[in-house]
Amino acid sequence: DSMRRRKLEEAIDAYERQTNTIPTSPDEFTKMLLSNPNSSYLWTQFMAFHTGLQQVEQARQVAEKALRTIGVRETKEHQNVWVAYMNLEDLHGTAESLASIFKRACQHSDNTLALHEKLADIFKSTKRQQQELQLCRAMISKFRDKSKVWERLGVCLLDQDKRDQLKRLLKDMSAGASILNKSDQYMVMEHLAIHEYR
């Protein structure tokens, strides 16, 4: 897999040296994708090309085509396209269109936790605090055995200055709402303390 990725990167480097740029037209992207159909890098660059020209619908079509074209076993490549698609909907779609893409991504993924984390990152970077908080709470009920979701919600509450809710969260965590062992609970508390005093 890393060998194939290296070959792809070399092909892209050679192409860029040859033309001195990344593809600048749909035809060039199509030509490159014919020899590298599983490259999420190329597919997402193609989406970005359309988005840069305010062609949001074409960017969506590229995302859909990428998801149909990339090999079934290429889970990481698929995930990269889903994340780019979620970013596209966050910036140019509606809350409904984003929720719909996120739901589809989760149905097609064997790593839904990673997708939840990516969506939380998107909300954080676009300063959608309410959506980020809602998602972090949903992650707790879905993945209560993962220390990083407890930590993520704690950081979110700290960043939004919701200390009372943070106290409740820590109390819930140690009272058994989580399935975390004591050492994981201490680690979460330690990380939150470090985050608070950064």
Side-chain angles (χ1 to χ4, degrees), residues 1-16:
D1 195 47
S2 66
M3 176 104 157
R4 205 165 59 206
R5 177 160 283 133
R6 200 163 48 246
K7 270 186 172 164
L8 170 64
E9 285 166 359
E10 285 167 10
I12 291 172
D13 286 347
Y15 181 87
E16 287 178 354

Side-chain angles (χ1 to χ4, degrees), residues 1 58 61 66 74-75 77 81 98 100 104 112 116 126 129 139 147 160 163 192:
D1 195 47
Q58 283 94 323
Q61 288 166 13
E74 305 287 341
T75 51
E77 303 299 312
V81 173
L98 174 58
S100 162
R104 281 179 57 205
T112 58
H116 279 76
T126 53
Q129 293 189 325
M139 286 165 73
S147 59
Q160 296 184 23
R163 299 196 180 272
L192 290 174

Side-chain angles (χ1 to χ4, degrees), residues 149-164:
V149 299
W150 289 88
E151 187 176 321
R152 179 162 213 139
L153 177 55
V155 166
C156 183
L157 291 168
L158 271 173
D159 290 349
Q160 296 184 23
D161 208 24
K162 298 182 187 291
R163 299 196 180 272
D164 291 350

Side-chain angles (χ1 to χ4, degrees), residues 116-133:
H116 279 76
E117 290 179 310
K118 294 290 186 188
L119 184 57
D121 291 341
I122 290 171
F123 286 148
K124 191 180 181 82
S125 72
T126 53
K127 308 226 181 317
R128 294 173 200 255
Q129 293 189 325
Q130 194 181 341
Q131 290 92 328
E132 183 192 0
L133 189 52

Side-chain angles (χ1 to χ4, degrees), residues 22-157:
I22 53 173
T24 54
S25 73
D27 284 348
E28 287 177 17
F29 273 108
T30 305
K31 213 176 286 179
M32 270 195 89
L33 282 162
L34 279 174
S35 51
N36 302 292
N38 291 328
S39 167
S40 61
Y41 173 78
L42 274 178
W43 285 111
T44 56
Q45 288 296 312
F46 197 5
M47 289 169 69
F49 167 81
H50 282 302
T51 310
L53 297 172
Q54 306 297 314
Q55 299 170 340
V56 176
E57 202 42 56
Q58 283 94 323
R60 286 187 178 110
Q61 288 166 13
V62 168
E64 293 292 347
K65 187 168 184 185
L67 294 166
R68 286 193 308 271
T69 307
I70 294 173
V72 197
R73 289 195 187 89
E74 305 287 341
T75 51
K76 188 76 189 120
E77 303 299 312
H78 271 274
Q79 184 173 308
N80 292 341
V81 173
W82 282 117
V83 171
Y85 205 169
M86 292 187 317
N87 267 305
L88 178 72
E89 292 305 328
D90 182 61
L91 294 171
H92 302 282
T94 61
E96 291 74 26
S97 67
L98 174 58
S100 162
I101 294 303
F102 176 62
K103 186 178 175 187
R104 281 179 57 205
C106 287
Q107 287 165 349
H108 290 90
S109 173
D110 53 5
N111 189 354
T112 58
L113 174 55
L115 286 169
H116 279 76
E117 290 179 310
K118 294 290 186 188
L119 184 57
D121 291 341
I122 290 171
F123 286 148
K124 191 180 181 82
S125 72
T126 53
K127 308 226 181 317
R128 294 173 200 255
Q129 293 189 325
Q130 194 181 341
Q131 290 92 328
E132 183 192 0
L133 189 52
Q134 276 178 327
L135 182 64
C136 287
R137 288 191 193 289
M139 286 165 73
I140 291 283
S141 52
K142 222 173 167 62
F143 310 103
R144 57 180 1 120
D145 59 330
K146 305 280 188 234
S147 59
K148 61 181 171 182
V149 299
W150 289 88
E151 187 176 321
R152 179 162 213 139
L153 177 55
V155 166
C156 183
L157 291 168

